Amino acid sequence: MPEHIFTRSELINIFDNVVGRTLGEIDKNNVFDKTISKPKITGIAGDVIEQSVLGYPADNKQEADLIVDGVDIELKTTGLKSAKKDGHALEAKEPMSITAVSPDKIVQEEFYNSNLWHKMEHMLLVYYLYDSDKTVLASEYAKFPIQGYQFHEFNEDDTKILLNDWKVVRDFIRKAKEEHEDPTVEYPKISKLRNQMLYMDTAPKYPNPPRFRLRRQVVSTIAQQHLGKDFQPLYGKNKFSSYAELDKILQEFTSKYKDKSIKQIADELKLDLIRNDKGKVSKAITEKILTSAFGVKSGKLREIDTFAKIGTIPKTLTLTVKGGRTEDTKFDTIDFSEWADEDLEFENSSLYDFFANQTLLFSIFEEAYNNSPLEENIFKGFKRVNFDDEFIDTFVKPTWERVRYLLFNNKFKVEPVIDKNGKPIINKKAGTVKEATNFPKSKDFAIFLRGTSTDSTRKTLYLTGYWLYQQQFWIKGSVLVELLSKVDYI
């Protein structure tokens, strides 16, 4: 049992008095002194909360940290950072480590008496603002302010998901022990189980002792809800707690609407086809069709609570009448302050996190005929894509490394695009010279960079002496189609 006993009102009073103050200001016990000899020590923020705010030494016991009004409560201190792709919102800096995966112990457990649930059933989450674009030394955490705190308990729906995630790991280890004289030969596969789990994963990779973690998207959603952001809940038959249940909902939707056009589906679902000033139907209709499968007629998939937590990104892929690709697929805008951080390892980057921990849910359509209007395209079904370690190492990491090589070695360039006669190409509407970077291109890289803007004169990114369009990372259409061809329709 934990020995650190408080009342809830005592803790509220303690943390109300530190919100808004920096970690350095509240460090009355000089915890930051150890960063002098250990400048890259981890967990300094949590140490300050434990030792200087609550007044007890850190420990590594697999027990809850506090007793609050007779209830065991786990204390977690976690960083939030600016979500640059989402205005002024905040998001989790990293996943939240919970507890060790103990193979000999977990096989004897059931979820509600497991060490994991004992750690997660009642939590006190303390948030600090990681107010830096780059990786900083431990001593610099002293300038980060306490953003807030909350007593958190998972609701019934989230608990079911956590239970199923935990069982994925527990059952895998049980099977390894039953079928192998030396089950440890199977343990390196534990990290690959993340594609079967909704809210959790495990890290680091075996043979390093793995730990259960809440995915970064889960922590972000919990924090954003606490800070006032609303997410749409799912109701009744539209709830799911595993990929199998999610697939069942999508299968039922497909059975109703497969081989119907977007216009036909929109009419049946009573969805408006919004047209732009050129009379073309907005691409947003495809996401509205997807959210309708879960009883939600407005908003985006990322605004639905469960989907926000599992990090599902909706994408539409339209196949040509011959089954080929129609276009490359764009993802997030790049934060170059992160990509140019020499101390940041690839496995800790947002690029790695995107491909390792996001699920892409594709609504697949097919052109009714060559270059048919969007509303006439035919719905074929859904496919879900998770990117495994081989894909990440083969296609994603080379792009990361190439961009960083160009930035770190002053080899990044922006040059005029030349026509076959050796003359600069002019953007007709704006009268400006068309330019191109030497960032990875689709002809050489499966994951490449491309800039976008509302018009050719609006260049809002300043990078090493050049004004650029904001850059996004993309996946080559042919690579994506090949990847999806190996995935069955849900």
Side-chain angles (χ1 to χ4, degrees), residues 308-441:
K309 288 173 178 170
I310 66 177
T312 296
I313 297 176
K315 287 292 178 181
T316 300
L317 186 70
T318 303
L319 302 174
T320 66
V321 291
K322 295 182 179 180
R325 57 118 173 188
T326 58
E327 58 185 10
D328 303 319
T329 298
K330 180 176 70 173
F331 295 114
D332 288 346
T333 297
I334 292 171
D335 177 5
F336 280 100
S337 62
E338 181 194 76
W339 286 49
D341 182 353
E342 294 190 61
D343 293 325
L344 185 67
E345 296 181 357
F346 174 63
E347 287 74 16
N348 295 325
S349 70
S350 58
L351 183 70
Y352 176 86
D353 180 73
F354 180 92
F355 283 96
N357 292 311
Q358 303 272 13
T359 298
L360 304 184
L361 182 56
F362 281 90
S363 302
I364 311 293
F365 295 87
E366 188 177 275
E367 290 182 336
Y369 50 87
N370 192 35
N371 294 321
S372 58
L374 176 68
E375 64 270 26
E376 294 186 29
N377 292 342
I378 306 300
F379 175 60
K380 307 306 292 185
F382 299 104
K383 290 190 177 187
R384 184 175 59 251
V385 171
N386 298 94
F387 298 98
D388 59 21
D389 291 337
E390 182 180 0
F391 182 95
I392 293 171
D393 289 339
T394 303
F395 297 116
V396 182
K397 192 173 184 179
T399 299
W400 164 265
E401 291 177 337
R402 178 60 182 171
V403 171
R404 284 162 64 85
Y405 169 80
L406 294 173
L407 295 177
F408 296 158
N409 293 279
N410 296 316
K411 293 184 179 293
F412 172 64
K413 296 180 181 179
V414 179
E415 298 178 323
V417 178
I418 305 300
D419 64 18
K420 61 182 179 180
N421 297 315
K423 295 182 178 181
I425 297 175
I426 305 298
N427 290 306
K428 293 181 180 179
K429 288 186 178 180
T432 56
V433 175
K434 190 173 183 179
E435 295 178 325
T437 73
N438 61 342
F439 280 146
K441 299 290 191 297

Side-chain angles (χ1 to χ4, degrees), residues 206-221:
Y206 203 82
N208 299 306
R211 297 177 62 83
F212 282 109
R213 306 188 307 177
L214 280 176
R215 294 179 188 262
R216 191 174 65 85
Q217 298 93 327
V218 177
V219 184
S220 291
T221 305

Side-chain angles (χ1 to χ4, degrees), residues 38 63 101 110 114 117 122 132 134 158 175 178 181 208 222 257 286 313 318 332 339 384-385 401 409 420 428 466 483:
K38 298 178 180 179
E63 298 175 344
V101 178
E110 295 299 329
S114 70
W117 183 238
H122 308 285
S132 175
K134 294 187 176 182
D158 286 342
K175 185 176 181 180
E178 291 170 357
E181 184 176 345
N208 299 306
I222 291 171
Y257 299 108
T286 57
I313 297 176
T318 303
D332 288 346
W339 286 49
R384 184 175 59 251
V385 171
E401 291 177 337
N409 293 279
K420 61 182 179 180
K428 293 181 180 179
Y466 298 101
L483 185 65

Side-chain angles (χ1 to χ4, degrees), residues 103-104 172-188 190 206:
D104 291 335
F172 173 85
I173 295 173
R174 277 186 176 177
K175 185 176 181 180
K177 286 180 174 291
E178 291 170 357
E179 297 182 354
H180 296 270
E181 184 176 345
D182 178 12
T184 61
V185 300
E186 290 292 289
Y187 290 172
I190 290 176
Y206 203 82

Side-chain angles (χ1 to χ4, degrees), residues 178-315:
E178 291 170 357
E179 297 182 354
H180 296 270
E181 184 176 345
D182 178 12
T184 61
V185 300
E186 290 292 289
Y187 290 172
K189 298 178 183 177
I190 290 176
S191 63
K192 297 182 179 181
L193 298 175
R194 68 171 186 262
N195 291 343
Q196 301 175 41
M197 303 162 74
L198 296 182
Y199 280 8
M200 294 194 294
D201 64 8
T202 62
K205 295 179 181 178
Y206 203 82
N208 299 306
R211 297 177 62 83
F212 282 109
R213 306 188 307 177
L214 280 176
R215 294 179 188 262
R216 191 174 65 85
Q217 298 93 327
V218 177
V219 184
S220 291
T221 305
I222 291 171
Q224 289 167 0
Q225 287 173 324
H226 170 67
L227 296 171
K229 185 173 181 178
D230 292 326
F231 290 87
Q232 172 75 48
L234 294 174
Y235 296 100
K237 65 179 182 179
N238 296 310
K239 294 179 180 181
F240 59 91
S241 56
S242 66
Y243 276 122
E245 292 177 5
L246 168 60
D247 290 352
K248 184 178 180 181
I249 295 171
L250 294 172
Q251 288 166 357
E252 290 177 354
F253 186 88
T254 301
S255 67
K256 292 181 182 178
Y257 299 108
K258 184 180 179 182
D259 293 329
K260 293 185 178 181
S261 70
I262 287 178
K263 185 178 185 309
Q264 288 173 317
I265 298 172
D267 287 344
E268 292 187 32
L269 293 173
K270 296 181 171 54
L271 299 174
D272 294 330
L273 293 176
I274 306 299
R275 297 179 183 272
N276 61 23
D277 54 7
K278 295 182 180 180
K280 292 186 177 181
V281 171
S282 169
K283 293 181 179 180
I285 185 60
T286 57
E287 186 167 359
K288 285 187 176 182
I289 287 174
L290 174 57
T291 58
S292 293
F294 298 89
V296 179
K297 294 294 181 71
S298 62
K300 298 181 178 181
L301 202 69
R302 288 187 183 186
E303 296 169 353
I304 298 174
D305 180 87
T306 307
F307 282 107
K309 288 173 178 170
I310 66 177
T312 296
I313 297 176
K315 287 292 178 181

Side-chain angles (χ1 to χ4, degrees), residues 443-454:
K443 65 183 181 69
D444 300 312
F445 292 82
I447 307 298
F448 61 95
L449 274 61
R450 181 185 295 167
T452 58
S453 181
T454 52

Side-chain angles (χ1 to χ4, degrees), residues 114-167:
S114 70
N115 187 60
L116 177 76
W117 183 238
H118 186 60
K119 288 273 193 177
M120 299 181 72
E121 186 176 7
H122 308 285
M123 305 179 81
L124 172 56
L125 306 179
V126 180
Y127 303 111
Y128 66 92
L129 181 62
Y130 189 89
D131 195 14
S132 175
D133 290 333
K134 294 187 176 182
T135 303
V136 301
L137 296 175
S139 60
E140 295 184 59
Y141 277 62
K143 67 183 180 182
F144 296 156
I146 302 298
Q147 186 74 23
Y149 68 95
Q150 70 174 122
F151 292 91
H152 180 267
E153 295 181 4
F154 290 98
N155 62 33
E156 182 180 351
D157 296 330
D158 286 342
T159 301
K160 288 180 180 179
I161 292 174
L162 293 169
L163 182 154
N164 284 329
D165 284 357
W166 177 86
K167 285 180 65 177

